[in-house]
Amino acid sequence: MDTLNNTLLKVENLHVVYKARRETVYAVNGVSFCLKKGETLGLVGETGAGKTTTAYAIMRVLPDRTARIVNGIIEFEGYNLLDVPENLMRHGIRGEKIAIIFQDPMSALNPIMKVGDQIAEALKFHNKEDLSPERIEEQVDRTLELVGIQKERKYDFPHQLSGGMKQRVVIAIALVCEPVLIIADEPTTALDVTIQAQVLAMIDELREKLGTAMILITHDLGIVAQMCDNVAIMYAGEIIEIGSVEDIYSGKMQHPYTAGLFGSLPDLEKKTDRLHPIEGLMPDPTDLPKGCKFNPRCPRCMDICRNVQPEFTVEGTHKVACHLYGSGKGRGIDE
Amino acid sequence: MVMNKKPLRSMSPLQETIYRFSQNKVSLIGLAVVLLLIFIIIFGEFISPFENGVKQNIRMRLQGPSAEHWFGTDAYGRDIFTRVLHGTKYTMMIAFPATFIAEVIGIILGACAAFYSRWFDNILMRVLDVFQAIPGQLLALAVVAALGGSLFNLVIAMLIARIPASVRTARSIMLSLVGQEYIDAARSYGSRDYHLIFRHVIPNSLGAMIVSMTINLSAITLQVSSMSYIGLGVSPPTPEWGALLSEAREFIITAPHLIIFPGIAILLTALSFNLVGDGLRDALDPRLRD
Amino acid sequence: MIKYIIRRLITLVPIIIGVTLVVFTILEMTPGDPAKMMLGDGATLEQFEAFNEKFGLDKPFVSRFFNYILQLFTRFDFGTSWLTSRPVLDTLKARVPITLIIAVSSIAFASTIGVSLGVISAVKQYSKLDYVSRLTAMVLAAVPVFWLGMMLAILFALKLGWLPSSGTGSWKHYILPMMTLGLPYSARILRSTRGYMLEAVRQDFVRTARSKGVPERYVIWKHAFLNACLPVINTIGVYMGGLLGGAVVTENVFGCNGLGSFIINSVKRKDIPAVTGGTVFLAMIFALILLAVDILYAFVDPRIKARYTAKGAK
């Protein structure tokens, strides 16, 4: 497709399952996407769609007793991360090249460690330039100021900070080693609405300043429109639609699920009496439906949807996995 | 997901608990041992009449285990198997009532503390602080010092030693329940306190209380036998397990079988109660399971 | 912090008064006339009266109780033995070191084994080592202390002849009591440590640490363990009560002349002041241990420390 050497991360056909006592949870089922340097990809979907699992798989911080990456390639800077030994992963990738901003700042920080030490920890274990302790402290101070916290607060414990400040600290931890890729896992869901915008704006600004690529996991299409270059819509462990922001918001094709997501958003411009939520629930991940995973809830479901898994229909940068499009099956059939 | 075939999701909480418990082999073994103990208490007389454990036979003294005397004989030629067998009921006669009453008192006081005025809770906690500052074994010793050692007094001693812990457990379980929203919800639509306590709080705390009771049974079994062992509980010739061991002390070199078998009986009893308790806890709250 | 410790020490006062009241009340229920029990039926009326006057038995319960409290707090006087007419404190002083050696050595032994195996068991959950240590712990937690003592004595003292089976002469005498009391508690500590560790390694901040690229060893000990430490310390503190009670029994098994055997003997001889004194004294030790645990807690957990210092500032 595009200039290949520009690609930072390429995920191909990723499959992750969780094995419980008697059940197997199919969390991620053949996810593929590409991320270029400095680019932002929005990963959108409901709770349980496999967004966070995908993120943890990239970092390889899945719970190792239950989770298994059964298939796939995660190519980062030309290396398949799934082949990298744990030791090297820890040393060279985690925290150093790829960093993650966790969902819940309340629990993501160690309650009995000063926040400054928690930020410095990442640096200490990736200390390639052999920084002296003083230099590490300086770097911590700088990062704290970058995320808008006075450097004196580094001696505080997490319980002394507000929720918004904790999330800033979590962001500082992610940024302190200047990674090339940040995975932001719903970075603002745990925060008050009033601070959400602030934190997001800050993340965006810092990302731009540092030229970092980002995967932004969210279920908020509004945030995606503001911050992302590309968007992937996930449903039941699959990407069902992927493309640029324009493709998703105003492309010719639209997956009925994406349409449903938009339908459940309040629109200030159009005057509607009510929102249109998607009927039904996500399918049970231990017992996924045949064919298109969305078929039980799809308002435009056809016979073929119940039996055949749809392939991507490609139109430029826009890909949709739905039987409504491509190979002769037009919109009209079911209507 | 009405059409779900998964068995676990269509069960009532009780069925679910029983199902989960039945999946746990180790706890089932524990339960089997507990049932065996109850069987022994009821039918012990038929397995080996108490007479065999009382009848003295000096010619057969301090014999090792044999086909006739499975666990050997003691200094008076009494059959140890019979004595251990009949010892079961003494331990249980003390442990069961003491645990049960302690638990009931715990539930009542705990519910009151969780439900009624702060001052009651405060006073209760201060009293508990005092009681918990005295190690249980010492409290039991003091009771026996005052009342003397007999079966009934041991029940009292164990009861007094256990109540503080039971009340504390019950109180914390109930406080956590009272803090939950469905209680507030029930309150908001006008449920009365006694209705809340009997309909919501006690049924919901029962599981946890049963778990604490089983574990308590194990602790009391150990404590009763140690009281008898140091000579302040049931005294020989009553074949209580601790008393058997107390008698056996002087034969520690010549007849170790006198020590081994009663000890194993205590160990198995305490262990099986613990296993059942652990299994119940896991079955009641699968999240705690790993 | 010092202010806090002093405040906590002051809160011990009502506890000790309460403990004394409880012990006093329980022992007051002893049937029979103490003078008759001590002096026997053959003594004269004058002797009875002298006895009652000497030990204040002619006064009512409340007055005796307040007098006891007063003596306890002003002169650290634990009463006078009916049997020997000597202050109970003298005997306590002579005997408490033995009990403390047994209690402290066994809790140290139990914590070392229990905590380290508990952590390893949790980290290597479902490994062979985990199964073996859990199984052993399950059995050991149900072993009667005195029986374990007898079995250990049979093995190490009578069969192997490595260690003395009774008395308190040398350090060797304390090894069997330490193991007897320590093993069951190491099992209990193992079980709770494992539980708290399993909880801790599932915490989000542990994942944060991993995703920072922190080495696994650090993740386990510095992040997970230090957090699991708090409840573990608390549990160990609570177990101290049972352990002190167990020490009483252990002393009996190994014929150590500690506080425990003193209390047991006094119970047998109906020497009530000695029982009261011994029990109150042990309860005081226990209360001090719990206080120490609280303070230790505050040192490890900044949240609790903050609460304390905030309180202290008021």
Side-chain angles (χ1 to χ4, degrees):
Chain A
M1 284 199 338
D2 303 86
T3 38
L4 250 165
N5 53 1
N6 218 3
T7 303
L8 180 68
L9 176 77
K10 197 161 101 191
V11 174
E12 244 172 70
N13 198 27
L14 182 69
H15 285 261
V16 183
V17 299
Y18 292 101
K19 288 226 192 261
R21 284 181 172 259
R22 281 173 297 271
E23 297 173 330
T24 306
V25 174
Y26 298 92
V28 174
N29 309 303
V31 160
S32 306
F33 61 84
C34 248
L35 186 66
K36 279 183 270 177
K37 280 180 187 147
E39 201 178 58
T40 301
L41 171 76
L43 212 52
V44 184
E46 284 168 89
T47 309
K51 299 165 299 191
T52 302
T53 305
T54 308
Y56 288 176
I58 296 169
M59 289 290 275
R60 283 204 8 220
V61 290
L62 288 164
D64 52 347
R65 264 193 24 79
T66 48
R68 207 129 301 153
I69 300 174
V70 266
N71 201 351
I73 297 171
I74 298 173
E75 203 176 282
F76 178 76
E77 291 187 332
Y79 298 98
N80 183 0
L81 291 187
L82 299 182
D83 294 337
V84 174
E86 171 60 28
N87 190 16
L88 220 69
M89 194 69 201
R90 184 190 74 59
H91 222 69
I93 304 290
R94 247 179 251 144
E96 165 89 29
K97 294 259 179 162
I98 310 178
I100 188 161
I101 299 170
F102 288 102
Q103 203 168 26
D104 184 3
M106 312 302 158
S107 61
L109 295 174
N110 187 338
I112 58 168
M113 214 171 150
K114 290 184 181 125
V115 293
D117 294 341
Q118 298 194 48
I119 299 171
E121 209 178 27
L123 269 176
K124 275 179 197 148
F125 289 109
H126 299 293
N127 200 348
K128 278 189 309 243
E129 292 142 55
D130 219 12
L131 297 175
S132 62
E134 293 79 41
R135 292 293 306 280
I136 288 181
E137 285 306 304
E138 276 170 33
Q139 178 72 26
V140 170
D141 294 350
R142 227 175 315 131
T143 317
L144 272 177
E145 265 159 16
L146 209 59
V147 296
I149 296 180
Q150 296 150 305
K151 59 182 181 200
E152 292 76 26
R153 301 299 295 259
K154 71 178 174 185
Y155 301 111
D156 282 1
F157 288 97
H159 69 97
Q160 292 162 302
L161 303 176
S162 69
M165 284 173 91
K166 276 185 214 166
Q167 190 59 306
R168 285 164 192 267
V169 171
V170 172
I171 293 167
I173 290 174
L175 290 179
V176 73
C177 290
E178 296 176 354
V180 287
L181 169 63
I182 293 178
I183 303 174
D185 183 6
E186 307 202 24
T188 56
T189 29
L191 301 180
D192 284 347
V193 186
T194 43
I195 335 175
Q196 283 187 4
Q198 249 183 54
V199 170
L200 279 175
M202 189 194 73
I203 293 179
D204 204 32
E205 191 192 334
L206 291 174
R207 190 195 63 75
E208 211 140 302
K209 201 148 115 198
L210 305 169
T212 317
M214 177 158 81
I215 298 177
L216 177 66
I217 296 174
T218 175
H219 47 245
D220 188 336
L221 283 164
I223 294 175
V224 169
Q226 279 172 41
M227 295 181 62
C228 299
D229 304 310
N230 293 316
V231 186
I233 313 273
M234 279 191 83
Y235 186 79
E238 290 171 3
I239 290 181
I240 47 114
E241 183 168 354
I242 184 165
S244 68
V245 170
E246 293 79 45
D247 291 334
I248 303 290
Y249 282 74
S250 48
K252 267 189 247 154
M253 309 183 289
Q254 190 171 46
H255 195 285
Y257 177 65
T258 317
L261 283 182
F262 279 109
S264 50
L265 278 183
D267 194 332
L268 291 179
E269 279 151 36
K270 268 185 273 168
K271 191 175 174 319
T272 42
D273 289 337
R274 54 184 302 147
L275 298 175
H276 299 281
I278 310 171
E279 297 292 325
L281 294 167
M282 281 269 271
D284 180 354
T286 61
D287 187 20
L288 290 170
K290 240 177 94 180
C292 173
K293 309 277 187 290
F294 188 57
N295 82 61
R297 296 170 76 185
C298 186
R300 306 172 67 178
C301 179
M302 303 172 288
D303 279 344
I304 183 172
C305 303
R306 295 196 187 90
N307 297 306
V308 184
Q309 165 117 18
E311 300 279 318
F312 272 129
T313 306
V314 185
E315 209 178 282
T317 51
H318 194 187
K319 296 195 228 169
V320 177
C322 179
H323 289 302
L324 289 173
Y325 308 103
S327 57
K329 291 168 200 74
R331 287 193 153 177
I333 294 175
D334 208 41
E335 283 171 341
Chain B
M1 303 286 98
V2 195
M3 312 219 294
N4 216 305
K5 287 151 284 177
K6 297 282 169 327
L8 277 182
R9 300 187 190 173
S10 55
M11 287 180 179
S12 74
L14 181 67
Q15 284 174 315
E16 205 175 310
T17 307
I18 294 170
Y19 172 75
R20 284 212 205 86
F21 188 87
S22 69
Q23 296 300 101
N24 188 341
K25 286 194 198 81
V26 184
S27 306
L28 280 181
I29 296 174
L31 184 65
V33 176
V34 171
L35 291 177
L36 177 73
L37 291 172
I38 294 172
F39 178 84
I40 287 174
I41 292 171
I42 301 173
F43 298 104
E45 196 58 26
F46 298 104
I47 303 170
S48 177
F50 188 52
E51 184 51 33
N52 292 351
V54 187
K55 202 172 47 198
Q56 300 191 2
N57 184 351
I58 297 300
R59 268 179 301 129
M60 289 294 285
R61 68 192 300 263
L62 298 177
Q63 299 286 310
S66 64
E68 195 188 349
H69 299 287
W70 289 358
F71 293 176
T73 59
D74 70 3
Y76 302 99
R78 293 177 297 197
D79 180 44
I80 296 295
F81 174 73
T82 314
R83 290 178 75 71
V84 171
L85 197 73
H86 288 271
T88 316
K89 60 173 167 279
Y90 297 101
T91 305
M92 296 298 152
M93 265 160 64
I94 298 163
F96 269 108
T99 315
F100 186 74
I101 300 171
E103 221 64 21
V104 170
I105 293 176
I107 288 180
I108 295 170
L109 290 182
C112 291
F115 249 84
Y116 294 111
S117 50
R118 300 274 327 141
W119 67 263
F120 180 77
D121 189 37
N122 275 331
I123 291 175
L124 187 71
M125 286 311 283
R126 294 294 83 76
V127 174
L128 286 183
D129 280 346
V130 167
F131 270 93
Q132 295 219 303
I134 313 172
Q137 184 92 41
L138 284 176
L139 208 50
L141 271 176
V143 173
V144 171
L147 304 178
S150 73
L151 273 178
F152 181 74
N153 290 345
L154 267 183
V155 174
I156 304 285
M158 291 301 136
L159 193 57
I160 292 178
R162 275 294 140 185
I163 287 175
S166 301
V167 175
R168 205 174 273 258
T169 316
R171 176 186 169 271
S172 68
I173 292 169
M174 297 203 181
L175 268 183
S176 71
L177 283 172
V178 170
Q180 267 167 23
E181 283 174 2
Y182 68 85
I183 298 284
D184 289 343
R187 247 194 198 136
S188 72
Y189 56 69
S191 292
R192 285 171 197 276
D193 271 356
Y194 72 83
H195 179 84
L196 283 178
I197 292 179
F198 286 102
R199 273 302 164 80
H200 296 286
V201 176
I202 290 185
N204 276 297
S205 63
L206 223 50
M209 290 310 292
I210 290 173
V211 171
S212 104
M213 201 167 128
T214 352
I215 309 268
N216 259 344
L217 273 174
S218 158
I220 291 187
T221 304
L222 294 178
Q223 217 167 31
V224 167
S225 60
S226 64
M227 290 291 285
S228 303
Y229 174 79
I230 55 182
L232 293 173
V234 185
S235 38
T238 310
E240 197 274 339
W241 293 332
L244 289 179
L245 285 165
S246 179
E247 273 184 301
R249 286 177 95 163
E250 39 184 315
F251 306 106
I252 191 165
I253 303 171
T254 45
H257 65 269
L258 290 182
I259 290 160
I260 291 169
F261 294 109
I264 289 176
I266 302 171
L267 170 61
L268 276 182
T269 309
L271 179 62
S272 60
F273 282 134
N274 272 345
L275 291 179
V276 173
D278 283 1
L280 276 177
R281 187 183 46 212
D282 292 347
L284 282 166
D285 192 352
R287 277 169 308 141
L288 292 178
R289 220 199 144 79
D290 4 279
Chain C
M1 205 64 196
I2 290 171
K3 254 190 202 157
Y4 167 71
I5 295 173
I6 293 171
R7 282 163 56 95
R8 282 301 312 264
L9 275 171
I10 293 169
T11 61
L12 284 186
V13 172
I15 299 257
I16 290 163
I17 296 178
V19 166
T20 316
L21 179 64
V22 169
V23 176
F24 237 78
T25 314
I26 291 177
L27 292 174
E28 182 66 17
M29 290 188 276
T30 315
D33 181 12
K36 226 171 231 165
M37 284 192 299
M38 288 298 130
L39 303 173
D41 286 333
T44 62
L45 200 66
E46 286 79 42
Q47 281 175 308
F48 284 147
E49 268 165 16
F51 183 88
N52 282 342
E53 205 191 314
K54 183 171 162 201
F55 295 103
L57 292 167
D58 46 352
K59 297 194 187 75
F61 173 74
V62 178
S63 130
R64 265 184 293 136
F65 172 68
F66 280 110
N67 188 44
Y68 191 87
I69 294 289
L70 195 71
Q71 299 298 324
L72 181 61
F73 283 101
T74 51
R75 307 212 331 257
F76 207 60
D77 180 357
F78 285 85
T80 311
S81 162
W82 287 349
L83 217 61
T84 60
S85 294
R86 285 184 30 222
V88 174
L89 183 66
D90 289 355
T91 325
L92 293 180
K93 267 193 207 150
R95 298 219 175 189
V96 79
I98 293 170
T99 306
L100 280 184
I101 290 174
I102 293 175
V104 170
S105 67
S106 35
I107 197 68
F109 175 81
S111 309
T112 315
I113 295 185
V115 169
S116 51
L117 279 180
V119 170
I120 296 172
S121 226
V123 172
K124 306 222 183 287
Q125 195 188 2
Y126 297 124
S127 67
K128 272 208 188 87
L129 181 97
D130 181 30
Y131 277 117
V132 171
S133 55
R134 272 164 73 201
L135 193 77
T136 322
M138 217 144 59
V139 174
L140 276 180
V143 164
V145 166
F146 59 96
W147 184 68
L148 182 64
M150 290 167 104
M151 298 309 273
L152 290 175
I154 290 178
L155 180 65
F156 289 107
L158 305 178
K159 291 265 181 310
L160 299 172
W162 291 351
L163 296 164
S165 68
S166 70
T168 44
S170 68
W171 60 271
K172 273 188 175 177
H173 286 91
Y174 288 103
I175 291 181
L176 281 180
M178 176 187 86
M179 281 168 68
T180 301
L181 197 50
L183 280 173
Y185 282 93
S186 71
R188 294 188 175 98
I189 294 171
L190 185 152
R191 288 170 53 131
S192 40
T193 306
R194 179 178 179 274
Y196 290 123
M197 257 319 263
L198 283 176
E199 230 168 82
V201 293
R202 281 175 179 67
Q203 298 280 320
D204 286 355
F205 61 80
V206 170
R207 194 167 49 217
T208 308
R210 274 206 189 104
S211 69
K212 273 192 276 193
V214 174
E216 195 57 21
R217 207 163 18 99
Y218 268 78
V219 173
I220 296 299
W221 289 100
K222 200 169 171 195
H223 290 271
F225 177 68
L226 275 188
N227 274 280
C229 234
L230 299 165
V232 168
I233 291 173
N234 196 32
T235 327
I236 293 177
V238 172
Y239 284 151
M240 277 309 285
L243 194 123
L244 285 173
V248 172
V249 180
T250 310
E251 282 175 22
N252 185 276
V253 176
F254 293 101
C256 309
N257 280 321
L259 213 50
S261 7
F262 173 61
I263 295 176
I264 292 174
N265 289 334
S266 305
V267 169
K268 286 180 179 166
R269 291 181 196 151
K270 297 275 177 198
D271 189 356
I272 300 300
V275 179
T276 315
T279 311
V280 171
F281 196 78
L282 255 187
M284 280 167 91
I285 293 178
F286 183 40
L288 283 175
I289 290 169
L290 287 182
L291 176 66
V293 166
D294 263 14
I295 293 165
L296 196 62
Y297 224 91
F299 267 106
V300 185
D301 193 333
R303 287 163 296 186
I304 293 170
K305 191 173 183 176
R307 216 185 308 145
Y308 288 161
T309 39
K311 258 194 215 157
K314 265 181 212 165

